[in-house]
């Protein structure tokens, strides 16, 4: 079965997944670190917000439109993410144990499970669950209030992310963020990061009418230009504690999502789950490739050349995801 209406969204899922892989490898750094930074750690930052916006558009917005009546679908979605998080946690448990990442301290475990994620990319799942609970709860009282809250949290998150160099010079802000960072290692989590993009996706679904393609292209182009400038400046002057959050990431995502909605093309159903599989498994593939490179004494080619490493990880991730997808579809057919 094919879907035409949201073909642009579905195709971009794959692009977003590949951008996430790039963020964890820095493929262009082999040639030029500045160019890699601009493309991977500025432009590439559209990837994860895009997935949050999908949830806002396709999950939260319909729930609001139905007068908060379809609770079962929301519960099912949250449970699904919880199960995926549990499964991914089990998958990466041996690696965490080998690396000594699990500590005995109770609060460190809670912090890892709820905020940081049980592996460096798995923060997405608790962030999605917490963000959805916050936004849905606020939207029941006021959608506008939910939007104001999420944007306020995003601004605070910025001060602990790309603008932390400024924050670190203000004693009262330092004291506040010392508390924040005792609970979460970064501000890109379910409180400061996820709500803004969940609301953005929800708002686009609820608003009446859409922009023309020309307007979206101009909006994306201008927003991206300013985001690259913002990223390069905060990077150059050493302000960044992390680089997940930029001011101009918000308008970039707003116009980009609108543009993708206007792209009328066909997309296969499997893309919707396939991108998620790549997101979950690619760190394991990175580790596997390092092991292969070490065993075959080809570290210089397969690892130090980050571009080749990126291509290999993408190919292996796609291959593993294809096998997993085939097994899942086969089991579903047997159950029917």
């Amino acid at each position: 079965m094919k879907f035409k209406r949201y073909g642009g969204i579905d195709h971009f899922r794959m692009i977003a997944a590949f951008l996430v892989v790039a963020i964890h490898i820095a493929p262009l750094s082999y040639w030029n670190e500045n160019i890699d930074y601009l493309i991977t750690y500025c432009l590439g930052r559209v990837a994860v917000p895009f997935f949050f916006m999908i949830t806002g558009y396709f999950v939260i917005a319909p729930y609001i439109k139905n007068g908060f009546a379809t609770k079962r679908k929301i519960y099912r979605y949250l449970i699904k993410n919880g199960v995926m998080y549990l499964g991914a946690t089990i998958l990466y448990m041996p690696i965490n144990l080998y690396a000594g990442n699990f500590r005995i301290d109770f609060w460190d475990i809670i912090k890892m499970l709820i905020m940081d994620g049980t592996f460096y990319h798995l923060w997405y799942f608790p962030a999605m669950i917490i963000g959805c609970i916050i936004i849905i709860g606020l939207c029941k009282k006021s959608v506008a209030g939910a939007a104001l809250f999420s944007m306020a949290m995003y601004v605070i998150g910025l001060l602990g992310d790309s603008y932390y160099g400024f924050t670190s010079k203000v004693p009262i802000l330092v004291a506040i963020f010392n508390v924040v960072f005792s609970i979460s290692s970064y501000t890109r989590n379910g409180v400061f990061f996820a709500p803004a993009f969940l609301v953005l996706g929800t708002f686009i679904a609820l608003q009446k009418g859409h922009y023309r393609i020309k307007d979206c292209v101009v909006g994306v182009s201008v927003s991206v230009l300013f985001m690259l400038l913002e990223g390069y400046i905060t990077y150059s002057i050493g302000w960044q504690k992390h680089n997940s959050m930029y001011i101009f990431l918000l308008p970039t995502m707003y116009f980009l999502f609108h543009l993708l909605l206007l792209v009328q093309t066909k997309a296969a159903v499997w893309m919707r789950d396939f991108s998620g599989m790549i997101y979950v498994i690619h760190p394991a593939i990175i580790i596997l490739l390092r092991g292969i490179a070490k065993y075959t004494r080809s570290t210089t080619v397969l690892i130090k050349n980050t571009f080749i490493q990126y291509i290999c990880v993408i190919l292996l991730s796609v291959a593993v995801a294809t096998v997993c997808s085939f097994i899942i579809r086969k089991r579903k057919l047997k159950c029917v």
Side-chain angles (χ1 to χ4, degrees):
M1 185 177 179
K2 304 287 184 180
F3 287 85
K4 186 176 181 181
R5 187 178 176 189
Y6 300 114
I9 296 291
D10 289 332
H11 281 295
F12 198 81
R13 290 173 191 262
M14 297 300 296
I15 295 173
F18 294 156
L19 286 174
V20 170
V21 178
I23 288 169
H24 296 146
I25 293 178
L28 302 179
S29 62
Y30 181 73
W31 294 298
N32 188 295
E33 289 188 359
N34 288 328
I35 292 175
D36 181 75
Y37 173 78
L38 288 174
I39 294 177
T40 305
Y41 298 104
C42 285
L43 194 58
R45 287 303 183 185
V46 304
V48 177
F50 169 74
F51 288 115
F52 283 115
M53 289 180 71
I54 286 177
T55 299
Y57 190 93
F58 292 104
V59 178
I60 297 177
Y63 184 50
I64 294 172
K65 288 179 181 178
N66 290 328
F68 304 100
T70 53
K71 293 181 179 179
R72 186 174 294 179
K73 289 183 179 179
I74 291 294
Y75 293 151
R76 205 180 302 160
Y77 179 79
L78 294 176
I79 291 170
K80 178 184 175 182
N81 275 273
V83 170
M84 289 178 67
Y85 184 38
L86 177 61
T89 297
I90 293 171
L91 173 66
Y92 287 97
M93 183 73 76
I95 299 171
N96 273 320
L97 291 173
Y98 178 78
N101 292 333
F102 278 122
R103 300 173 184 175
I104 299 175
D105 187 272
F106 174 77
W107 290 113
D108 281 344
I109 294 174
I110 296 299
K111 178 181 174 182
M112 179 185 288
L113 286 171
I114 298 177
M115 289 295 186
D116 292 350
T118 50
F119 207 66
Y120 62 80
H121 67 310
L122 297 181
W123 67 272
Y124 170 84
F125 291 104
M128 178 66 80
I129 295 168
I130 292 170
C132 282
I133 292 171
I134 290 172
I135 294 305
I136 290 170
L138 291 174
C139 281
K140 285 183 178 180
K141 295 182 178 181
S142 168
V143 175
L148 287 173
F149 171 83
S150 65
M151 293 305 144
M153 290 297 100
Y154 189 81
V155 170
I156 295 171
L158 277 170
L159 296 176
D161 196 271
S162 293
Y163 289 82
Y164 189 68
F166 165 78
T167 304
S168 63
K169 297 176 183 178
V170 183
I172 189 170
L173 291 178
V174 170
I176 292 170
F177 277 99
N178 282 341
V179 175
V180 171
F181 292 134
S182 69
I183 300 170
S184 177
S185 298
Y186 303 100
T187 53
R188 55 108 174 91
N189 54 43
V191 177
F192 299 104
F193 183 88
F197 297 105
L198 289 169
V199 162
L200 208 56
T202 303
F203 176 76
I204 291 173
L206 296 178
Q207 74 178 92
K208 296 179 180 179
H210 293 285
Y211 297 103
R212 297 175 301 173
I213 290 181
K214 181 181 177 181
D215 298 328
C216 293
V217 170
V218 172
V220 169
S221 300
V222 173
S223 300
V224 165
L225 180 63
F226 278 102
M227 184 174 70
L228 291 174
L229 183 62
E230 176 189 8
Y232 187 74
I233 291 172
T234 54
Y235 170 71
S236 298
I237 62 179
W239 272 14
Q240 296 183 351
K241 174 182 172 65
H242 200 242
N243 46 37
S244 292
M245 305 172 75
Y246 301 109
I247 294 170
F248 285 97
L249 181 58
L250 290 169
T252 295
M253 295 310 304
Y254 178 75
F255 287 111
L256 175 61
F257 205 86
H258 267 292
L259 180 61
L260 293 171
L261 287 171
L262 294 172
V263 176
Q264 296 294 304
T265 183
K266 293 182 179 180
V269 179
W270 57 263
M271 285 186 177
R272 298 184 176 183
D273 294 326
F274 202 79
S275 58
M277 290 182 191
I278 291 175
Y279 183 93
V280 170
I281 66 175
H282 78 269
I285 301 299
I286 292 173
I287 295 169
L288 174 64
L289 186 65
R290 288 174 182 168
I292 292 171
K294 185 177 180 180
Y295 181 76
T296 59
R297 297 182 180 179
S298 55
T299 301
T300 302
V301 176
L302 293 179
I303 305 301
K304 291 185 178 180
N305 188 322
T306 53
F307 185 76
I308 292 178
Q309 181 188 5
Y310 175 71
I311 297 299
C312 290
V313 169
I314 289 292
L315 293 174
L316 287 171
S317 296
V318 168
V320 173
T322 300
V323 173
C324 292
S325 182
F326 174 78
I327 293 171
I328 291 170
R329 286 201 306 271
K330 195 172 182 180
R331 286 187 175 180
K332 283 183 178 180
L333 288 173
K334 283 184 178 180
C335 293
V336 172

